[in-house]
Amino acid sequence: MKTDQSHVFNTTRWHNTCLMAESGKGIYVYDSEGKTYLDAIGGTHVISIGHGVTEVADAMAEQARQLCFIHKAQFTSEPQEKLANVVTTMAPEGMDRVGFVTSGSTANEMAFQIALYYHKLRGKASKYKIISRWHSYHGHTIATLAMTGSRFVRESLSPFDLLNFPHIQAPHCYQCPYKLTYPSCELTCANELARIIEQEGADTIAAFVAEPIIGGAGSAIVPPPGYYEKVREICDFYDILWISEEVITGFGRTGKNFGVDHWAAIPDIITATKALSSGYAPIGAVIVHQRVREVFDNATKNIPLSLFTYAGHPISCAAALAVQNYMAKHNLIERCAVMGKYLKHQLEKLAEREPIIGDVRGEGLLIGIEFVKNRDNHQPFSRSLGITEKIMQVGLENGLILRGRFGTGVGVDGDHILISPPFIITESQCDELVEKLELTFKQVKQSLKLVEVC
């Protein structure tokens, strides 16, 4: 549909025609013209169980017939209580309370506020800053925009940085900002957290927020072994909370319950949203460790901390509960790990044939592809070429839904895409995805006259 024919305030496609999605089945989406698209990003890393699962639709309909909404000030509900039991059972040891919100932005906003109140209740109200990393994305509220380290977001909305939160470099071994090599680097990227805490003053720092595996803004950057164990040690030493931001990595996307489970370290707060309901309804989770929860339990007065009007919405909770039951019944987290290995291997074989692919990385069905001009020195393409945007555009024309960003190391040059299909993808569908990718890469190279150089 053309923008001048729609009354929708669409902030992402001001001057373009937007396709009309009509239906979906499994990992495929169908538009109003009858064209089929393989959704290689699961609706931006949301969809885990695929479209059209009747058990989930039935659970939502039944809940709507029984109770559509109730406010948290007076009531809880059965689907919320059951979902809380499921989530805390899946969470790392000691994380025994969960609040339900409506999105990744609101989850991270609430984690920020919980961190502030946690310190205030302990007589440390001066601790208000959140340290985050470059090449990160944490949401679109004022606080979460200030946490965000994506140049794509920060350059377009410069006034949002009113909170002036500090950032450290991402643990990007392929484009190490320190020009070091693991393990001889001795985890310089993690130790920078301690340096900036000292620089800012530990008495001003409330928390460190980090995606276990950096998602959309970094396309599956995986920190080296020992990174989060070092982060845990630093946070404990300086008395700051560690927020594991699992909006993308939570609920199975990396082949484990949570992305942080790939390391032997337990955070203080986890935020996780997308795969919780597989997109069937808006919902997110803020999971807190008992050491945080106990501070709130011992508070002697009411705390003005609200999880928003639609927190714990009965229909959203019923949808998420049905999704998690479906995932457990069909062993989809284990399947995600298996299919992730298969797809990553196929992409690595594609990299052997396609010289613009510099790095294939990730865990489970969260796989990043970084493009380079020179494989020997990892030199990225100039941002002026718009490689990422061209790949997304041509991919869509080829019936492949993709998403990517730009910027690597310490600069804005460089391009990468993130592959995150639903957990139900099959081997033959992985092969189809790779075939469409290979065709797309070849067409983009031809259009940008990169064939001779690559």
Side-chain angles (χ1 to χ4, degrees):
M1 175 178 283
K2 294 181 179 178
T3 54
D4 60 2
Q5 297 174 328
S6 174
H7 292 285
V8 174
F9 184 61
N10 192 327
T11 60
T12 60
R13 301 186 68 87
W14 283 110
H15 308 295
N16 300 300
T17 299
C18 197
L19 300 168
M20 179 70 76
E22 190 166 88
S23 63
K25 188 66 180 176
I27 71 166
Y28 296 99
V29 174
Y30 307 92
D31 71 16
S32 56
E33 303 298 318
K35 184 173 179 178
T36 302
Y37 302 84
L38 191 159
D39 190 356
I41 59 169
T44 54
H45 334 303
V46 171
I47 300 171
S48 53
I49 67 173
H51 297 276
V53 177
T54 56
E55 292 98 311
V56 180
D58 290 345
M60 294 174 69
E62 177 58 31
Q63 183 59 48
R65 282 190 289 266
Q66 187 170 329
L67 178 70
C68 70
F69 177 74
I70 198 73
H71 194 263
K72 62 187 179 299
Q74 293 86 21
F75 296 94
T76 184
S77 67
E78 185 176 4
Q80 178 174 231
E81 294 297 331
K82 287 183 175 179
L83 182 61
N85 290 340
V86 169
V87 170
T88 53
T89 299
M90 295 176 69
E93 184 179 359
M95 307 202 74
D96 62 1
R97 291 293 188 278
V98 56
F100 296 111
V101 290
T102 55
S103 69
S105 293
T106 54
N108 289 330
E109 173 72 27
M110 291 316 304
F112 163 64
Q113 293 188 32
I114 288 169
L116 264 58
Y117 278 111
Y118 167 80
H119 291 297
K120 187 174 183 179
L121 289 168
R122 296 164 63 243
K124 299 185 178 185
S126 64
K127 296 170 80 70
Y128 72 95
K129 297 178 188 174
I130 305 293
I131 299 175
S132 57
R133 300 183 300 206
W134 298 112
H135 300 299
S136 66
Y137 175 72
H138 298 297
H140 258 76
T141 67
I142 294 297
T144 57
L145 282 168
M147 297 177 203
T148 291
S150 167
R151 293 284 291 273
F152 174 78
V153 176
R154 296 179 71 85
E155 288 181 351
S156 61
L157 290 171
S158 55
F160 65 62
D161 205 12
L162 0 134
L163 295 177
N164 195 29
F165 287 158
H167 295 72
I168 63 174
Q169 295 296 337
H172 192 183
C173 291
Y174 185 73
Q175 300 281 8
C176 178
Y178 309 99
K179 307 299 181 185
L180 300 173
T181 304
Y182 179 84
S184 61
C185 65
E186 298 183 332
L187 295 173
T188 296
C189 52
N191 286 315
E192 188 188 358
L193 176 60
R195 183 193 64 78
I196 204 163
I197 292 170
E198 292 278 0
Q199 179 178 307
E200 296 284 329
D203 60 336
T204 70
I205 307 298
F208 172 59
V209 61
E211 302 156 275
I213 297 172
I214 300 176
S219 293
I221 295 174
V222 182
Y227 179 86
Y228 286 112
E229 290 84 351
K230 175 60 69 173
V231 163
R232 179 72 274 173
E233 177 186 322
I234 292 169
C235 288
D236 288 342
F237 182 82
Y238 289 102
D239 187 25
I240 70 175
L241 296 181
W242 165 27
I243 302 168
S244 185
E245 201 265 54
E246 309 229 16
V247 170
I248 292 177
T249 57
F251 299 104
R253 172 59 65 186
T254 69
K256 291 183 180 290
N257 288 352
F258 294 92
V260 76
D261 292 337
H262 291 277
W263 288 265
I266 296 176
D268 301 292
I269 302 173
I270 288 178
T271 57
T273 63
K274 294 177 182 282
L276 177 56
S277 71
S278 189
Y280 280 83
I283 189 171
V286 182
I287 315 166
V288 298
H289 196 279
Q290 61 188 30
R291 58 178 163 261
V292 176
R293 184 257 303 164
E294 287 169 356
V295 169
F296 285 84
D297 287 348
N298 294 330
T300 57
K301 59 181 180 179
N302 289 334
I303 302 161
L305 183 66
S306 173
L307 292 174
F308 305 99
T309 297
Y310 287 108
H313 193 282
I315 298 174
S316 292
C317 288
L321 182 62
V323 166
Q324 294 306 312
N325 288 340
Y326 185 90
M327 287 189 29
K329 178 181 177 182
H330 296 279
N331 298 312
L332 289 187
I333 294 179
E334 293 84 350
R335 178 183 175 81
C336 182
V338 172
M339 295 311 303
K341 288 179 181 177
Y342 178 82
L343 179 56
K344 188 178 180 182
H345 180 63
Q346 299 306 109
L347 291 170
E348 288 169 341
K349 291 201 295 186
L350 172 59
E352 295 172 2
R353 306 190 297 271
E354 183 46 78
I356 68 168
I357 298 176
D359 191 29
V360 176
R361 56 183 179 245
E363 294 286 350
L365 286 170
L366 187 70
I367 306 172
I369 302 175
E370 185 168 327
F371 306 100
V372 293
K373 185 176 182 179
N374 187 317
R375 276 181 168 177
D376 294 334
N377 60 14
H378 303 182
Q379 180 187 359
F381 287 101
S382 169
R383 179 86 287 271
S384 62
L385 289 172
I387 299 281
T388 296
E389 294 89 338
K390 193 68 175 175
I391 286 173
M392 290 166 59
Q393 175 192 338
V394 174
L396 196 63
E397 293 167 1
N398 290 330
L400 186 64
I401 305 174
L402 299 170
R403 190 168 177 86
R405 283 287 184 263
F406 61 81
T408 59
V410 296
V412 295
D413 285 344
D415 301 87
H416 39 85
I417 60 173
L418 186 59
I419 307 295
S420 56
F423 303 176
I424 59 169
I425 193 170
T426 64
E427 287 190 2
S428 63
Q429 289 169 338
C430 287
D431 294 340
E432 179 187 354
L433 190 161
V434 174
E435 288 171 9
K436 288 180 180 291
L437 266 183
E438 186 165 20
L439 172 63
T440 297
F441 295 161
K442 288 179 178 178
Q443 291 173 335
V444 169
K445 284 170 60 179
Q446 289 171 352
S447 70
L448 295 177
K449 298 182 171 53
L450 299 175
V451 181
E452 295 80 12
V453 249
C454 299

